[in-house]
Amino acid sequence: DAGVTQSPTHLIKTRGQQVTLRCSPISGHKSVSWYQQVLGQGPQFIFQYYEKEERGRGNFPDRFSARQFPNYSSELNVNALLLGDSALYLCASSLVPWGNEQFFGPGTRLTVL
Amino acid sequence: AQKVTQAQTEISVVEKEDVTLDCVYETRDTTYYLFWYKQPPSGELVFLIRRNSFDEQNEISGRYSWNFQKSTSSFNFTITASQVVDSAVYFCALSPTSRGGSEKLVFGKGTKLTVNP
């Protein structure tokens, strides 16, 4: 079975631009979470979605938004990019948001110039 | 507030040595989960273990073992007879158990393990 997939793999943007990252969960998983991992740090929670509803939001500005589609895939949008948004963006899926381990995708490496 | 501290930033060992990675956590929740993930150079986080706060039994899986001590809020990870393939960044993480809410993972900063041949 396919694991969590993310696209694109790498992305280069300039300050002020907008970016959309995509994630497809493991088949049967209904919950998707997004994490930001800055170089040398642990991942930080951005959002969690379950059944198309937002279940949790981390301490990120409103420039960050996300949504989940009926097929449980998800998009993360970041507007007005800043240099500090450069990071590895990880998507994780789980069957449900509670009591289950989260399986991570390979990530999207975003570089903001 | 929840917090995970991995005091060891980097560890370097020679193959076949045993190595222990430390993890100390803080939480006000009475029930929670603890995790260890491995992140090889490819970047993908690989799940290693999940432990419920009610279960303080130590666990062994092959060369890996975990020591959970609630009294000291620690969840340490030991690799026995380390191998070069164990070289990676290892993250300890914590999440609350909240059926109605979100079980976000709170990660430590990670410990980079290098196993030299």
Side-chain angles (χ1 to χ4, degrees), chain A residues 91-105:
Chain A
C91 173
S93 78
S94 58
L95 285 168
V96 292
W98 53 87
N100 287 271
E101 56 264 34
Q102 296 185 28
F103 295 89
F104 284 81

PDB file of all heavy atoms in Angstrom, chain A residues 91-105:
ATOM      1  N   CYS A  91       3.588  16.323   6.083  1.00  0.00           N
ATOM      2  CA  CYS A  91       2.192  15.943   6.225  1.00  0.00           C
ATOM      3  C   CYS A  91       2.157  14.577   6.909  1.00  0.00           C
ATOM      4  O   CYS A  91       2.989  13.708   6.622  1.00  0.00           O
ATOM      5  CB  CYS A  91       1.536  15.871   4.851  1.00  0.00           C
ATOM      6  SG  CYS A  91      -0.140  15.225   4.852  1.00  0.00           S
ATOM      7  N   ALA A  92       1.221  14.389   7.812  1.00  0.00           N
ATOM      8  CA  ALA A  92       1.071  13.105   8.490  1.00  0.00           C
ATOM      9  C   ALA A  92      -0.386  12.680   8.427  1.00  0.00           C
ATOM     10  O   ALA A  92      -1.290  13.518   8.496  1.00  0.00           O
ATOM     11  CB  ALA A  92       1.515  13.224   9.941  1.00  0.00           C
ATOM     12  N   SER A  93      -0.608  11.382   8.289  1.00  0.00           N
ATOM     13  CA  SER A  93      -1.990  10.908   8.298  1.00  0.00           C
ATOM     14  C   SER A  93      -2.169   9.847   9.380  1.00  0.00           C
ATOM     15  O   SER A  93      -1.229   9.177   9.795  1.00  0.00           O
ATOM     16  CB  SER A  93      -2.388  10.347   6.925  1.00  0.00           C
ATOM     17  OG  SER A  93      -1.887   9.043   6.703  1.00  0.00           O
ATOM     18  N   SER A  94      -3.398   9.748   9.846  1.00  0.00           N
ATOM     19  CA  SER A  94      -3.760   8.721  10.816  1.00  0.00           C
ATOM     20  C   SER A  94      -5.212   8.330  10.564  1.00  0.00           C
ATOM     21  O   SER A  94      -5.960   9.073   9.928  1.00  0.00           O
ATOM     22  CB  SER A  94      -3.555   9.202  12.253  1.00  0.00           C
ATOM     23  OG  SER A  94      -4.312  10.362  12.514  1.00  0.00           O
ATOM     24  N   LEU A  95      -5.590   7.198  11.111  1.00  0.00           N
ATOM     25  CA  LEU A  95      -6.967   6.725  10.899  1.00  0.00           C
ATOM     26  C   LEU A  95      -7.968   7.752  11.416  1.00  0.00           C
ATOM     27  O   LEU A  95      -8.892   8.153  10.724  1.00  0.00           O
ATOM     28  CB  LEU A  95      -7.173   5.386  11.615  1.00  0.00           C
ATOM     29  CG  LEU A  95      -6.538   4.174  10.944  1.00  0.00           C
ATOM     30  CD1 LEU A  95      -6.551   2.980  11.898  1.00  0.00           C
ATOM     31  CD2 LEU A  95      -7.283   3.823   9.659  1.00  0.00           C
ATOM     32  N   VAL A  96      -7.762   8.140  12.656  1.00  0.00           N
ATOM     33  CA  VAL A  96      -8.573   9.166  13.307  1.00  0.00           C
ATOM     34  C   VAL A  96      -7.611  10.032  14.105  1.00  0.00           C
ATOM     35  O   VAL A  96      -6.462   9.634  14.311  1.00  0.00           O
ATOM     36  CB  VAL A  96      -9.654   8.562  14.233  1.00  0.00           C
ATOM     37  CG1 VAL A  96     -10.710   7.834  13.408  1.00  0.00           C
ATOM     38  CG2 VAL A  96      -9.035   7.633  15.263  1.00  0.00           C
ATOM     39  N   PRO A  97      -8.041  11.196  14.575  1.00  0.00           N
ATOM     40  CA  PRO A  97      -7.086  12.096  15.237  1.00  0.00           C
ATOM     41  C   PRO A  97      -6.639  11.670  16.623  1.00  0.00           C
ATOM     42  O   PRO A  97      -5.735  12.262  17.182  1.00  0.00           O
ATOM     43  CB  PRO A  97      -7.851  13.426  15.320  1.00  0.00           C
ATOM     44  CG  PRO A  97      -8.985  13.309  14.392  1.00  0.00           C
ATOM     45  CD  PRO A  97      -9.328  11.860  14.346  1.00  0.00           C
ATOM     46  N   TRP A  98      -7.277  10.655  17.206  1.00  0.00           N
ATOM     47  CA  TRP A  98      -6.929  10.301  18.574  1.00  0.00           C
ATOM     48  C   TRP A  98      -6.478   8.847  18.645  1.00  0.00           C
ATOM     49  O   TRP A  98      -6.969   7.981  17.952  1.00  0.00           O
ATOM     50  CB  TRP A  98      -8.132  10.525  19.500  1.00  0.00           C
ATOM     51  CG  TRP A  98      -9.365   9.842  19.020  1.00  0.00           C
ATOM     52  CD1 TRP A  98      -9.746   8.558  19.265  1.00  0.00           C
ATOM     53  CD2 TRP A  98     -10.387  10.388  18.180  1.00  0.00           C
ATOM     54  NE1 TRP A  98     -10.925   8.282  18.645  1.00  0.00           N
ATOM     55  CE2 TRP A  98     -11.344   9.383  17.969  1.00  0.00           C
ATOM     56  CE3 TRP A  98     -10.579  11.645  17.608  1.00  0.00           C
ATOM     57  CZ2 TRP A  98     -12.482   9.590  17.194  1.00  0.00           C
ATOM     58  CZ3 TRP A  98     -11.711  11.851  16.837  1.00  0.00           C
ATOM     59  CH2 TRP A  98     -12.632  10.826  16.634  1.00  0.00           C
ATOM     60  N   GLY A  99      -5.525   8.596  19.523  1.00  0.00           N
ATOM     61  CA  GLY A  99      -5.150   7.222  19.834  1.00  0.00           C
ATOM     62  C   GLY A  99      -4.450   6.444  18.740  1.00  0.00           C
ATOM     63  O   GLY A  99      -4.372   5.227  18.795  1.00  0.00           O
ATOM     64  N   ASN A 100      -3.952   7.120  17.731  1.00  0.00           N
ATOM     65  CA  ASN A 100      -3.276   6.408  16.649  1.00  0.00           C
ATOM     66  C   ASN A 100      -1.967   7.091  16.303  1.00  0.00           C
ATOM     67  O   ASN A 100      -1.853   8.299  16.397  1.00  0.00           O
ATOM     68  CB  ASN A 100      -4.146   6.417  15.385  1.00  0.00           C
ATOM     69  CG  ASN A 100      -5.340   5.495  15.505  1.00  0.00           C
ATOM     70  OD1 ASN A 100      -5.242   4.325  15.179  1.00  0.00           O
ATOM     71  ND2 ASN A 100      -6.433   6.031  15.982  1.00  0.00           N
ATOM     72  N   GLU A 101      -0.998   6.263  15.900  1.00  0.00           N
ATOM     73  CA  GLU A 101       0.245   6.882  15.462  1.00  0.00           C
ATOM     74  C   GLU A 101       0.028   7.598  14.143  1.00  0.00           C
ATOM     75  O   GLU A 101      -0.815   7.216  13.343  1.00  0.00           O
ATOM     76  CB  GLU A 101       1.363   5.839  15.317  1.00  0.00           C
ATOM     77  CG  GLU A 101       1.056   4.698  14.400  1.00  0.00           C
ATOM     78  CD  GLU A 101       0.547   3.488  15.166  1.00  0.00           C
ATOM     79  OE1 GLU A 101      -0.154   3.689  16.183  1.00  0.00           O
ATOM     80  OE2 GLU A 101       0.845   2.369  14.745  1.00  0.00           O
ATOM     81  N   GLN A 102       0.807   8.646  13.944  1.00  0.00           N
ATOM     82  CA  GLN A 102       0.745   9.420  12.711  1.00  0.00           C
ATOM     83  C   GLN A 102       1.883   8.969  11.797  1.00  0.00           C
ATOM     84  O   GLN A 102       3.014   8.822  12.225  1.00  0.00           O
ATOM     85  CB  GLN A 102       0.870  10.909  13.027  1.00  0.00           C
ATOM     86  CG  GLN A 102      -0.283  11.425  13.861  1.00  0.00           C
ATOM     87  CD  GLN A 102      -0.236  12.917  14.072  1.00  0.00           C
ATOM     88  OE1 GLN A 102       0.293  13.655  13.256  1.00  0.00           O
ATOM     89  NE2 GLN A 102      -0.798  13.379  15.170  1.00  0.00           N
ATOM     90  N   PHE A 103       1.545   8.746  10.550  1.00  0.00           N
ATOM     91  CA  PHE A 103       2.517   8.322   9.549  1.00  0.00           C
ATOM     92  C   PHE A 103       2.852   9.516   8.666  1.00  0.00           C
ATOM     93  O   PHE A 103       1.955  10.159   8.122  1.00  0.00           O
ATOM     94  CB  PHE A 103       1.957   7.170   8.710  1.00  0.00           C
ATOM     95  CG  PHE A 103       1.726   5.924   9.510  1.00  0.00           C
ATOM     96  CD1 PHE A 103       0.518   5.699  10.140  1.00  0.00           C
ATOM     97  CD2 PHE A 103       2.722   4.975   9.633  1.00  0.00           C
ATOM     98  CE1 PHE A 103       0.301   4.554  10.891  1.00  0.00           C
ATOM     99  CE2 PHE A 103       2.520   3.823  10.376  1.00  0.00           C
ATOM    100  CZ  PHE A 103       1.309   3.611  11.008  1.00  0.00           C
ATOM    101  N   PHE A 104       4.137   9.770   8.525  1.00  0.00           N
ATOM    102  CA  PHE A 104       4.587  10.978   7.844  1.00  0.00           C
ATOM    103  C   PHE A 104       4.964  10.720   6.389  1.00  0.00           C
ATOM    104  O   PHE A 104       5.471   9.646   6.037  1.00  0.00           O
ATOM    105  CB  PHE A 104       5.792  11.577   8.565  1.00  0.00           C
ATOM    106  CG  PHE A 104       5.433  12.306   9.828  1.00  0.00           C
ATOM    107  CD1 PHE A 104       5.223  11.612  11.006  1.00  0.00           C
ATOM    108  CD2 PHE A 104       5.286  13.679   9.827  1.00  0.00           C
ATOM    109  CE1 PHE A 104       4.881  12.280  12.179  1.00  0.00           C
ATOM    110  CE2 PHE A 104       4.949  14.362  10.988  1.00  0.00           C
ATOM    111  CZ  PHE A 104       4.741  13.653  12.159  1.00  0.00           C
ATOM    112  N   GLY A 105       4.743  11.733   5.578  1.00  0.00           N
ATOM    113  CA  GLY A 105       5.196  11.727   4.201  1.00  0.00           C
ATOM    114  C   GLY A 105       6.626  12.226   4.108  1.00  0.00           C
ATOM    115  O   GLY A 105       7.219  12.617   5.116  1.00  0.00           O
TER     116      GLY A 105
END
